[in-house]
Amino acid sequence: MRSDDAATHMQRDNEWGVSLRLESYARQLARWPDSGRVILAQHDDESVVVYQAFRPEIGLFAAEHGYFGGPFSLSRMSWIKTNFLWMMYRSGWGAKPGQEVTLAVRIPKAAFDQILSIAVHSSFDPARYADEVEWRELGRRAQVRLQWDPDHDPHGRPVPRRAIQLGLRGEVLQNYAKKWILDIQDISKLVSDQAMRLYSGKELILPREEPYLVSNPAVAQHLGLES
C-alpha cells in the first residue's frame, strides 16, 4: 500500500468507520466504461464486495453477528449488487422503507466466480439459450438469476452502461448467508453522508470500483460481458 493510500485508509476509518477503499466519484467516472455490460466492483485477488440493503432488524443483525440470520429468510431469493451507485439507485440512498441499512459484504473471489458461472438470465436471450423452453426450465432450477439493468448516475438518471444484479437462492444463498462471508460492514453512515453531499452539491466520495474481469471466456461470453 502506498503511503497516500495508507493515509486515505486511516481517514476513511475515522470518518465513516468502514474499511472499503474510497475515491471521489469524479475520478472514478473518468476511468469507467461509458456503455456496455460491465461488472463494476471493488475487488482484489482474493475477494469481491457486494451490496445489499435491508430493514434494520435484518441489516443490523447481519452486521453485528457477521452472517445473515434472525429474520433473514433463506426461502426467498436475495439479490446482490456489485455496483454501489446501482444499490443507491434501488434504495434511494437508504431512504426507501425497508432498505434503511446498507451492507457491504465481502466474499471470496472464488465464490463470486462460482455464482457467475451458474447464473441464468432473467429474460430470454436466443444467443445463449436453445429456445424458451430450455431457458424456462433452467430458470426454474437455477440457484442464481442474472439481470442486466441500466446503470444510473448519483442523481438516479439512467446511463448507457449496464449494471449487474444477481439473485441467489437454494444452496448458493445458504452458502452466501454464512459460509462465504469474509466480512460484513454496515455502511449506512457513509451512505447518508454522501446523500447529504449529493444534495448540497459537494464532491462525492464513494467505494472505489473497477471493471471485474471474468477469467473464464465461456462464462464471460454467457454473461454477455463486453470484451
Side-chain angles (χ1 to χ4, degrees):
M1 180 181 289
R2 302 194 313 268
S3 59
D4 55 337
D5 290 337
T8 301
H9 178 85
M10 207 172 232
Q11 178 186 10
R12 191 166 60 238
D13 283 343
N14 291 338
E15 189 168 355
W16 291 295
V18 301
S19 60
L20 296 172
R21 300 189 304 275
L22 303 180
E23 187 179 38
S24 73
Y25 168 66
R27 291 185 63 179
Q28 296 191 72
L29 185 62
R31 297 194 309 268
W32 291 344
D34 294 326
S35 60
R37 293 177 172 180
V38 182
I39 301 176
L40 283 179
Q42 180 156 140
H43 59 91
D44 54 33
D45 292 341
E46 304 296 332
S47 64
V48 179
V49 174
V50 299
Y51 303 101
Q52 293 190 280
F54 295 102
R55 63 183 190 272
E57 54 264 40
I58 294 178
L60 296 179
F61 179 100
E64 179 181 352
H65 293 84
Y67 68 91
F68 290 98
F72 180 82
S73 176
L74 291 172
S75 62
R76 298 175 56 188
M77 181 168 283
S78 188
W79 291 85
I80 61 175
K81 301 163 182 65
T82 67
N83 181 327
F84 179 81
L85 283 178
W86 175 233
M87 182 74 261
M88 293 305 96
Y89 167 69
R90 292 305 299 267
S91 72
W93 287 88
K96 290 184 179 179
Q99 300 188 58
E100 298 91 347
V101 177
T102 305
L103 300 178
V105 184
R106 190 179 301 275
I107 63 174
K109 181 178 182 294
F112 185 68
D113 286 341
Q114 180 180 336
I115 290 170
L116 294 178
S117 71
I118 60 174
V120 176
H121 293 72
S122 292
S123 57
F124 175 64
D125 185 344
R128 291 171 176 82
Y129 303 96
D131 50 46
E132 288 198 41
V133 174
E134 178 200 51
W135 167 70
R136 291 184 187 280
E137 177 59 23
L138 289 171
R140 185 184 66 82
R141 295 185 282 108
Q143 296 188 50
V144 179
R145 299 305 300 266
L146 159 69
Q147 193 163 303
W148 289 105
D149 298 283
D151 203 351
H152 289 73
D153 71 9
H155 295 277
R157 297 176 296 227
V159 300
R161 187 177 54 250
R162 308 292 280 191
I164 195 172
Q165 60 175 334
L166 298 155
L168 313 181
R169 65 183 176 190
E171 184 179 357
V172 169
L173 179 57
Q174 294 175 30
N175 287 336
Y176 168 77
K178 295 184 178 180
K179 181 180 177 181
W180 288 341
I181 291 175
L182 300 175
D183 179 56
I184 299 181
Q185 299 180 64
D186 179 355
I187 61 170
S188 303
K189 186 175 185 296
L190 172 68
V191 169
S192 62
D193 185 62
Q194 298 311 308
M196 289 189 291
R197 293 172 72 93
L198 174 66
Y199 302 142
S200 61
K202 296 181 180 179
E203 181 181 47
L204 295 179
I205 306 298
L206 307 179
R208 176 173 177 160
E209 296 173 355
E210 305 283 355
Y212 183 82
L213 302 179
V214 176
S215 58
N216 187 318
V219 173
Q221 182 178 19
H222 176 72
L223 296 173
L225 290 170
E226 301 299 317
S227 59

